[in-house]
Amino acid sequence: MKRIWIIICLLVAVLPDQAQRKAKTPTITPPSYADSVLTQYTDSLYRLRSYYDSCWSYKGNDLLNNPYYYRLFVQPTFYFTPVKQQMDLTWSSRHQENFLSSYRLSPPDDKTLQSDSALNDFFASVYVNQPNLVVTSQSVLDKENAIRTDLPSNPEHKVDLSTKVTAPKPIQVFEPIQVVGYKPNFWKFTQSYNLQLMQYYFSENWYKGGNNYNSFLFTTTITANYNNQSKISFNNTLSIQLGMQTVKNDTIHPWHTTTDEIRLVNQLSVKAAKNWSYTATLNSKTSMLPKYPNNSKKPTSDFMSPFQSVLSLGMKYSLTKTKFTMSINMAPLSFDLRYVGRKALYTRYGNLPNHKFREYYGSNVTIDYRWQMMKELLWTSRMYYFTNYKKVQFEWENTFKFTINKYLNTQLYLYPRFDDTEYDDNHKHTVQFKQWLSLGFGITL
């Protein structure tokens, strides 16, 4: 009996304690919808931060979307879509897509639209239960250009830093100035040398004679020009042409001269107008070496046989363009002096028998031009006309220079000539012609 009583007392003491423990076990309640929304938003922020801290790098065109639930954390606002969702019987989450486009930087997906519909339910309950918390409305946001304003591509800086800084006053420093005078040098000198290999051709009536053959030609041009940059200029040009060839059919003179001329042109100019100037020109030329026909000891030309010097007074017109320069010298007063040193050649070059000298008075026109037709092609020309109003002399020299590189070039030389003071072997006046085509070396200093 005593044992039964002890068992009953233990049961009485344990059972209430177990019941009390069961009563104290907490009941797990599911989170509210607002707590779920907050948790989801917080998780999205953590993920976004983890992304930007780990693998994001700026690529120049990245745009960060607005958080989906920013409306829960800004000041309470009266939006139109929560009311419209409650009042519209045919409401769909797609109805608020136009509204959301004003507050997002990229189009929302279906999941985002559904979440926003849930937010509309939340705001509808706020408007009904706690309207005093609402401090602004969507109309105000619309007037303020939604909740963001894009910056212009190039923002203007309104603060001028130069007006905020006081510039120091300049310190006057006086230093002695030493004036050094230099006498201007109005002279300009140039030199050019060319050695050509060529195929040579003479017309049968060439006034100095000649044979068709391959040969070489050495030419040089030296200039010394004075220009005081005001009115007076004095130009001097010395040109030398010396060509020689071997002739197999000549047993007396194995070397013949093909081209032999030394010419000196001196011109004094006084500027008269923009492109016009008064000129006095002296043009002199002669041969340097004797020239012989095949197997003959009688020369057809020699040094100072002939010698021609023309003194002209007139005016010159000059034209200068980028690739073209031209000068026209018109001399109504000209004196042509011809001298032949060898007696046997007096009549060959227009002098009277037993007369070394012969003078002509008349007028002449000389046209010189230089045309850079293209980068590799240069055309230089001299056209000369003289008349004593009874007889005429006409010469037209043309040189086409094809540049290969700095030192190599090809030249084509064409020279028609007419002089009715000279006669050919048949005692007739005919047009003479001279031509060469060459490949050679050239240098200009």
Side-chain angles (χ1 to χ4, degrees):
M1 190 66 180
K2 185 176 182 179
R3 292 180 180 178
I4 295 173
W5 179 250
I6 293 172
I7 293 174
I8 293 173
C9 291
L10 291 174
L11 291 175
V12 172
V14 172
L15 290 177
D17 183 64
Q18 293 294 331
Q20 187 177 4
R21 287 184 181 180
K22 290 183 179 181
K24 291 183 178 180
T25 301
T27 303
I28 299 176
T29 58
S32 62
Y33 189 80
D35 293 337
S36 301
V37 170
L38 178 60
T39 302
Q40 184 178 357
Y41 174 70
T42 305
D43 293 341
S44 65
L45 291 181
Y46 284 140
R47 289 194 300 270
L48 187 63
R49 178 178 178 180
S50 176
Y51 167 71
Y52 279 94
D53 289 344
S54 59
C55 60
W56 179 84
S57 62
Y58 180 69
K59 299 179 181 178
N61 57 356
D62 292 309
L63 293 176
L64 178 62
N65 290 337
N66 290 334
Y68 295 152
Y69 310 109
Y70 72 92
R71 290 186 289 170
L72 294 175
F73 303 96
V74 298
Q75 61 183 0
T77 304
F78 181 79
Y79 299 104
F80 298 152
T81 53
V83 178
K84 188 174 183 180
Q85 178 176 334
Q86 299 297 328
M87 302 297 293
D88 194 348
L89 298 179
T90 61
W91 171 263
S92 173
S93 59
R94 289 289 175 181
H95 288 134
Q96 61 184 11
E97 185 172 354
N98 295 332
F99 164 73
L100 295 173
S101 63
S102 300
Y103 303 95
R104 268 201 196 87
L105 301 178
S106 64
D109 53 14
D110 291 340
K111 182 178 179 181
T112 304
L113 293 175
Q114 293 175 3
S115 301
D116 287 323
S117 297
L119 290 179
N120 289 337
D121 294 335
F122 169 76
F123 280 108
S125 63
V126 173
Y127 301 156
V128 173
N129 298 321
Q130 292 179 322
N132 58 308
L133 298 178
V134 180
V135 296
T136 184
S137 66
Q138 183 178 337
S139 301
V140 177
L141 297 179
D142 292 339
K143 292 180 181 180
E144 297 296 332
N145 194 18
I147 62 173
R148 68 184 181 92
T149 302
D150 293 334
L151 290 176
S153 57
N154 296 317
E156 298 180 358
H157 300 282
K158 297 182 179 180
V159 179
D160 189 359
L161 296 180
S162 61
T163 60
K164 306 298 182 180
V165 179
T166 303
K169 295 182 179 180
I171 301 175
Q172 295 183 356
V173 178
F174 297 96
E175 296 182 358
I177 300 176
Q178 183 179 3
V179 179
V180 179
Y182 293 93
K183 185 178 180 180
N185 185 8
F186 297 126
W187 286 93
K188 182 179 181 181
F189 302 90
T190 62
Q191 305 176 58
S192 65
Y193 302 91
N194 285 275
L195 177 62
Q196 307 288 331
L197 305 175
M198 66 192 72
Q199 169 267 326
Y200 222 97
Y201 169 79
F202 291 92
S203 63
E204 295 180 356
N205 61 345
W206 183 248
Y207 74 112
K208 291 185 180 180
N211 298 307
N212 300 336
Y213 206 80
N214 296 326
S215 63
F216 73 88
L217 173 68
F218 173 76
T219 63
T220 180
T221 302
I222 302 173
T223 63
N225 299 330
Y226 173 88
N227 189 344
N228 68 353
Q229 306 298 325
S230 178
K231 288 187 175 182
I232 299 177
S233 62
F234 183 40
N235 297 332
N236 305 274
T237 303
L238 174 65
S239 59
I240 300 174
Q241 294 183 351
L242 179 61
M244 301 191 71
Q245 69 177 18
T246 58
V247 181
K248 298 180 180 179
N249 297 330
D250 192 342
T251 59
I252 301 176
H253 307 286
W255 289 89
H256 282 204
T257 58
T258 55
T259 298
D260 183 9
E261 182 181 86
I262 177 171
R263 177 185 296 170
L264 178 63
V265 180
N266 310 98
Q267 186 177 80
L268 177 64
S269 302
V270 179
K271 189 174 183 179
K274 182 178 180 181
N275 295 326
W276 292 90
S277 58
Y278 303 103
T279 60
T281 305
L282 181 63
N283 191 334
S284 306
K285 65 178 182 178
T286 186
S287 301
M288 293 180 291
L289 301 176
K291 181 178 180 59
Y292 298 93
N294 289 345
N295 299 311
S296 175
K297 295 184 178 181
K298 296 181 178 180
T300 57
S301 65
D302 199 356
F303 179 69
M304 299 298 290
S305 296
F307 169 78
Q308 182 181 9
S309 183
V310 181
L311 177 62
S312 306
L313 299 177
M315 295 193 72
K316 181 177 71 172
Y317 174 80
S318 301
L319 177 65
T320 302
K321 298 294 183 180
T322 304
K323 297 183 178 181
F324 182 82
T325 58
M326 180 180 65
S327 66
I328 304 175
N329 190 26
M330 296 169 285
L333 299 177
S334 297
F335 173 71
D336 186 352
L337 173 65
R338 300 189 182 185
Y339 171 81
V340 180
R342 285 182 174 267
K343 185 177 181 180
L345 301 178
Y346 286 171
T347 57
R348 181 181 180 91
Y349 293 103
N351 287 4
L352 298 175
N354 299 321
H355 286 74
K356 292 185 177 182
F357 296 93
R358 186 163 187 175
E359 302 87 10
Y360 297 95
Y361 296 91
S363 59
N364 74 69
V365 177
T366 304
I367 302 176
D368 295 280
Y369 61 86
R370 176 188 177 92
W371 184 11
Q372 190 73 46
M373 303 178 67
M374 59 185 66
K375 183 179 180 181
E376 297 81 9
L377 177 59
L378 173 65
W379 178 18
T380 57
S381 178
R382 184 187 74 92
M383 188 181 298
Y384 175 80
Y385 175 83
F386 176 87
T387 180
N388 64 345
Y389 308 109
K390 292 182 180 180
K391 296 181 179 295
V392 299
Q393 177 184 349
F394 176 78
E395 298 177 349
W396 187 17
E397 294 182 81
N398 298 273
T399 304
F400 297 88
K401 183 177 180 181
F402 301 87
T403 301
I404 301 175
N405 55 36
K406 185 178 180 180
Y407 300 105
L408 293 177
N409 61 77
T410 300
Q411 292 189 15
L412 174 63
Y413 182 80
L414 305 175
Y415 184 10
R417 185 179 187 274
F418 177 81
D419 190 349
D420 59 4
T421 63
E422 301 174 0
Y423 299 90
D424 59 8
D425 295 337
N426 298 323
H427 203 71
K428 293 182 179 180
H429 303 297
T430 56
V431 177
Q432 306 166 21
F433 186 77
K434 183 178 181 180
Q435 171 262 332
W436 77 61
L437 176 64
S438 63
L439 172 66
F441 306 90
I443 185 173
T444 301
L445 302 176

